[in-house]
Each structure stands twice: as C-alpha cells, then as structure tokens.
Amino acid sequence: QVQLVESGGGLVQAGDSLRLSCAVSGGTFERLAMAWFRQGPSLERTLVAAISRSGIPTNYADSVRGRFTISRDNAKNTVSLQMYSLRPDDTAVYYCAGQRLGRSSYELWGQGTQVTVSS
C-alpha cells in the first residue's frame, strides 16, 4: 500500500521561506507523477504545483509561479515544495498527491501539513 507523508509545515511570517517534503513508501515512486495541492479557508483543494515522473515541473498555479519550486528525488522517494516570499494568502493545508501511470487523476494522498503565514 502506497503511503504519502508530508512534513515541514509551520507558522512563518510574511516574506519567509519554507520547504515542504513528502516521503512516499510502499510503491514504485518512479511510476508516480506527483503534485502539491492546498486547501485554504474556502475549503477548495487546488493544485499548487506538479512534476512529472522524470522530474520536470509540469504545472504551477499562477499565484505561486516564480515563488514556489517543486522537485523530486527518485533515489530517496521524496517530492519537495520550496516556498519563497510567503504571503498570508498562502495559508492552507498542503497535501502531497500521487498519480499512477495511466491514470487521469491523483488517487494517492497524504494527510496534509498546515502552513500558516502571518502578516
């Protein structure tokens, strides 16, 4: 059974940086496309960034492009989200998600990690 475990969330000030990590176990990590989603006060879960199986970033939300960077380490079975210049509206629960080869949606989810940015 594939498990995704996020870490690295916390309380920071506006303008600070934070790095989220997601450790994946129980499956073949290289076969998973990965992404970060977030769910803020509106409770809508939205895509933040996505990365291909080979490590090429494939999508960034307009609101984070140029401030956030997604990366993965297939040797360590991890995917990361480096966040710079954090703003209060980045406050959300951040989820790591995995998409199996041949599937059209993200079916694998972590439990989420809270990021709170104070002004």
Side-chain angles (χ1 to χ4, degrees):
Q1 184 174 352
V2 180
Q3 289 189 320
L4 286 68
V5 179
E6 301 96 336
S7 61
L11 173 62
V12 297
Q13 301 271 357
D16 283 353
S17 300
L18 201 60
R19 185 177 181 88
L20 305 182
S21 292
C22 174
V24 181
S25 61
T28 306
F29 182 65
E30 310 87 79
R31 291 177 174 264
L32 300 176
M34 301 297 297
W36 287 94
F37 287 75
R38 67 186 181 186
Q39 186 171 1
S42 69
L43 301 183
E44 180 183 7
R45 192 174 294 190
T46 58
L47 178 70
V48 175
I51 191 165
S52 71
R53 296 168 186 82
S54 62
I56 299 173
T58 56
N59 201 1
Y60 285 102
D62 289 342
S63 60
V64 308
R65 188 173 291 112
R67 297 189 300 122
F68 291 9
T69 300
I70 188 171
S71 61
R72 67 188 291 162
D73 186 335
N74 284 352
K76 296 182 179 179
N77 290 2
T78 58
V79 59
S80 299
L81 185 68
Q82 178 68 54
M83 304 184 292
Y84 298 102
S85 301
L86 282 162
R87 309 184 308 213
D89 61 359
D90 293 317
T91 295
V93 178
Y94 284 72
Y95 295 91
C96 174
Q99 181 183 53
R100 290 190 173 99
L101 186 65
R103 300 295 178 92
S104 60
S105 61
Y106 292 92
E107 300 176 323
L108 305 171
W109 294 89
Q111 82 288 351
T113 185
Q114 176 71 48
V115 173
T116 302
V117 184
S118 63
S119 58

